[in-house]
């Protein structure tokens, strides 16, 4: 790990100011991606701005929607009775992220801001039509993830919370990497405002909606509706864990499992 300057911000405004004044500053949330990257000397920021001390970035509010502060750990979401009552699939997703260490240190804001293709939360952000709130604006969930490790965030922009509409029903199914427990493929199926939305993570460079699966399920949620439906693999990831063709196959399988969980 290279030498760097460490700052612990007490407010969002201070964090933004500290980063803007650095030669190459980065924000630290849970550190589940940043710290290993720095240890391997794949990243060498001059300044690290820790967001953990900022009041108001941690917490869960449930009303007409579910709003989760950016610094809220995955374990808190998984354990929240309020989240489980409003969106059980979201609590279930959070409870299956990585291992206990990752769930207690990793945060929803850090997870989505990094746009790791194997992260679980992006599937929910896309499928549930979430809104990502930042210190500057609101960003529609389906516009947020743009490419591998790329989001709609501008330089220095800070995620402050993620707001999820409450669906009529939703379910998440994933095929985890047996070592890391991150998603080789994860699929969330949600019925929201009378329409079916399908969010996919792990399969492509970033989370996306599956038009093929949504079209098949548009006439009603049933496992049989997915018979014979395939997902194109032209833009999917291919690596040592799974080929693009296998990931395309897994997307359809995980969708069937998610729908099966919804309809019993």
């Amino acid at each position: 790990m290279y030498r760097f300057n460490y700052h612990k911000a007490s407010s969002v405004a201070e964090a933004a100011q500290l980063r803007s004044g650095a030669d190459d500053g980065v924000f630290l949330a849970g550190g589940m991606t940043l710290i290993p990257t720095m240890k391997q000397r794949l990243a060498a920021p001059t300044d690290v701005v820790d967001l953990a001390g900022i009041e108001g970035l941690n917490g869960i509010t449930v009303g007409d929607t579910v709003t989760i502060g950016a610094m809220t750990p995955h374990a808190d979401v998984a354990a929240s009775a309020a989240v489980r009552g409003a969106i059980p699939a979201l609590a279930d997703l959070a409870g299956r992220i990585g291992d206990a260490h990752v769930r207690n240190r990793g945060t929803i804001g850090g997870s989505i801001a990094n746009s790791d293709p194997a992260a679980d939360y992006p599937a929910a952000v896309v499928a549930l039509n979430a809104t990502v709130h930042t210190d500057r604006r609101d960003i529609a969930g389906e516009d947020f993830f743009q490419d591998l490790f790329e989001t709609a965030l501008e330089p220095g922009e800070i995620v402050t919370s993620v707001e999820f509409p409450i669906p009529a029903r939703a379910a998440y199914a994933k095929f985890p990497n047996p070592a890391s427990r991150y998603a080789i493929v994860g699929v969330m199926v949600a019925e929201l405002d009378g329409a079916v939305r399908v969010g996919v993570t792990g399969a492509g460079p970033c989370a996306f909606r599956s038009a093929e699966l949504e079209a098949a399920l548009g006439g009603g949620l049933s496992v049989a509706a997915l018979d014979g439906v395939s997902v194109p693999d032209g833009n999917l990831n291919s690596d040592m864990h799974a080929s693009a063709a296998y990931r395309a196959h897994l997307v359809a399988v995980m969708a069937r499992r998610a729908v099966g969980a919804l309809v019993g």
Side-chain angles (χ1 to χ4, degrees):
M1 184 181 289
Y2 297 99
R3 293 176 63 88
F4 60 90
N5 301 310
Y6 171 81
H7 312 273
K8 190 164 187 178
S10 59
S11 68
V12 171
E14 182 186 11
Q17 183 179 28
L18 286 167
R19 186 190 181 281
S20 66
D23 291 334
D24 181 17
V26 295
F27 295 123
L28 172 66
M32 294 297 96
T33 297
L34 177 62
I35 299 303
T37 302
M38 292 174 64
K39 284 183 175 179
Q40 296 173 50
R41 296 198 168 194
L42 298 175
T46 60
D47 295 75
V48 172
V49 181
D50 192 346
L51 306 178
I54 301 177
E55 291 187 13
L57 292 187
N58 188 334
I60 300 168
T61 303
V62 177
D64 294 334
T65 60
V66 173
T67 301
I68 303 174
M71 291 297 292
T72 305
H74 312 318
D76 287 7
V77 179
S80 171
V83 175
R84 191 161 295 279
I87 313 178
L90 188 60
D92 175 61
L93 177 153
R96 292 194 279 156
I97 295 175
D99 56 23
H101 173 70
V102 171
R103 290 191 294 275
N104 280 279
R105 290 297 306 167
T107 66
I108 186 172
S111 175
I112 67 168
N114 195 46
S115 190
D116 188 317
D120 293 273
Y121 269 125
V125 171
V126 171
L128 295 174
N129 196 27
T131 299
V132 179
H133 300 288
T134 78
D135 60 331
R136 304 177 189 176
R137 56 186 171 140
D138 300 333
I139 306 172
E142 62 184 31
D143 298 329
F144 186 77
F145 305 102
Q146 298 189 340
D147 206 336
L148 182 69
F149 300 118
E150 290 186 17
T151 70
L153 292 173
E154 298 172 350
E157 191 170 7
I158 301 172
V159 175
T160 56
S161 65
V162 185
E163 184 177 5
F164 295 91
I166 298 175
R169 49 183 172 168
Y172 179 65
K174 79 169 177 176
F175 189 87
N177 181 303
S180 68
R181 311 307 295 172
Y182 285 106
I184 291 178
V185 165
V187 176
M188 177 170 280
V189 178
E191 189 175 24
L192 186 70
D193 297 328
V196 176
R197 298 171 62 97
V198 180
V200 180
T201 193
C206 64
F208 62 93
R209 290 175 64 186
S210 171
E212 295 79 15
L213 296 174
E214 290 182 353
L217 295 169
L221 282 172
S222 73
V223 176
L226 295 175
D227 289 348
V229 178
S230 61
V231 176
D233 64 8
N235 294 319
L236 300 189
N237 298 333
S238 186
D239 53 33
M240 63 182 291
H241 302 297
S243 66
Y246 186 48
R247 279 187 163 91
H249 170 72
L250 284 176
V251 170
V253 172
M254 293 304 108
R256 291 177 70 89
R257 292 184 183 178
V259 173
L262 287 179
V263 301

